[in-house]
Amino acid sequence: MELVVGRVVKPHGVRGELVIDVRTDSPEDRFAPGVALGVRGSTRTLTVAAARPHTGRLLVFFDGLGTREAAEDLRGSLLTVEVDRLPPIEDPDEFYDHQLEGLAVELLDGTAVGTVREIAHGPGGELLVVKAQDGREVLIPFVEQIVPTVDIAGGRVVIDPPDGLLSIE
């Protein structure tokens, strides 16, 4: 199983540098020189040569990727690491995305809401993308006030949504 740690936005400059949207809480570890990353949907592996912050994103050079044209071929690609290569998380209130995907979502009273389909990472924080029982997609802010319980072992997430969050508008 693989975990997405970044998305290639576009090439930067003419030497093959890439603009990366970071999708990890540990970019200093995932994009450190020498780290090998997979490219989702291919057997290709990219090894980080250098990375630096740039306007809320990263600019990354990969070994063997020396032209803008080579970089352009990666536009939109998702960069991944194998789950078994990830260190364990010590903080009980932090989770890897893959640990949350597939969990049942229910209200405080046990009413089924749906299933976590994915985690959306945005500038304002994370959102649980939930496929509701009726087939709709519902976005739930992943904050303690709304998601008071994450029970990985029990296979569920308990939510306490404010009025209107689950309503059909």
Side-chain angles (χ1 to χ4, degrees):
M1 177 180 238
E2 59 187 17
L3 176 67
V4 174
V5 295
R7 183 182 66 82
V8 177
V9 177
K10 62 183 180 176
H12 180 79
V14 296
R15 299 180 310 148
E17 194 169 31
L18 293 166
V19 176
I20 307 292
D21 268 339
V22 175
R23 295 195 181 168
T24 176
D25 288 341
S26 305
E28 64 284 349
D29 296 330
R30 307 288 171 254
F31 293 95
V35 170
L37 299 174
V39 178
R40 181 167 278 172
S42 84
T43 58
R44 188 171 187 179
T45 299
L46 300 171
T47 302
V48 176
R52 60 190 169 102
H54 178 72
T55 63
R57 294 179 169 158
L58 284 181
L59 294 181
V60 180
F61 272 117
F62 291 102
D63 289 338
L65 196 68
T67 67
R68 183 175 183 88
E69 292 75 25
E72 184 64 47
D73 289 342
L74 290 167
R75 183 187 289 262
S77 296
L78 296 175
L79 304 174
T80 63
V81 296
E82 289 299 319
V83 170
D84 59 359
R85 292 179 42 209
L86 298 173
I89 296 176
E90 302 297 325
D91 186 338
D93 292 327
E94 288 190 21
F95 310 93
Y96 288 120
D97 290 2
H98 73 277
Q99 293 176 300
L100 301 171
E101 293 168 355
L103 294 182
V105 179
E106 57 188 51
L107 298 175
L108 292 171
D109 66 5
T111 303
V113 174
T115 305
V116 177
R117 191 172 59 77
E118 68 177 297
I119 312 305
H121 299 271
E126 284 77 34
L127 295 168
L128 299 178
V129 180
V130 176
K131 182 170 183 177
Q133 298 286 91
D134 62 7
R136 293 179 299 130
E137 182 176 273
V138 180
L139 301 177
I140 310 287
F142 192 35
V143 295
E144 189 174 1
Q145 297 87 343
I146 298 173
V147 186
T149 305
V150 176
D151 180 6
I152 300 291
R156 69 189 184 116
V157 174
V158 178
I159 64 171
D160 185 13
D163 290 341
L165 183 66
L166 300 178
S167 300
I168 298 174
E169 300 295 328

